[in-house]
Amino acid sequence: MLLLTTLLQQVDIEEKIKHAPDKGYEIGVFIGSMLPFVILVLLAYVIYRYNKKRMNKD
C-alpha cells in the first residue's frame, strides 16, 4: 500500500512541476516533498541522542 501511495505521489509531483507557473513553484514543490523525510531523520537523531545520553548516565 505504501509503495502504491509513493508511486501516486511521484506522478503528482511530476505533473505539478510540468504545469508550474515559474521556477519558484518548482523549488517549493521539491522542498515540500523532501520536508517530511528531513523531519523524520531529525526526529530519529534526537531520539538516538536522548537514549545515548540516558544510557551513559547509568
Side-chain angles (χ1 to χ4, degrees), residues 22-49:
D22 59 1
K23 290 290 184 184
Y25 187 81
E26 182 177 338
I27 293 169
V29 169
F30 176 74
I31 291 171
S33 65
M34 290 295 136
L35 194 59
F37 298 112
V38 171
I39 290 172
L40 285 175
V41 168
L42 288 174
L43 181 63
Y45 179 73
V46 167
I47 292 170
Y48 167 77
R49 291 290 295 181

Side-chain angles (χ1 to χ4, degrees), residues 9-34:
Q9 285 179 342
Q10 185 66 26
V11 172
D12 192 31
I13 291 171
E14 289 176 3
E15 186 176 321
K16 285 181 180 181
I17 290 174
K18 185 190 297 183
H19 298 295
D22 59 1
K23 290 290 184 184
Y25 187 81
E26 182 177 338
I27 293 169
V29 169
F30 176 74
I31 291 171
S33 65
M34 290 295 136

Side-chain angles (χ1 to χ4, degrees), residues 41-58:
V41 168
L42 288 174
L43 181 63
Y45 179 73
V46 167
I47 292 170
Y48 167 77
R49 291 290 295 181
Y50 171 76
N51 286 327
K52 187 175 179 181
K53 285 183 180 182
R54 194 178 70 169
M55 292 295 287
N56 287 337
K57 285 183 181 180
D58 292 340

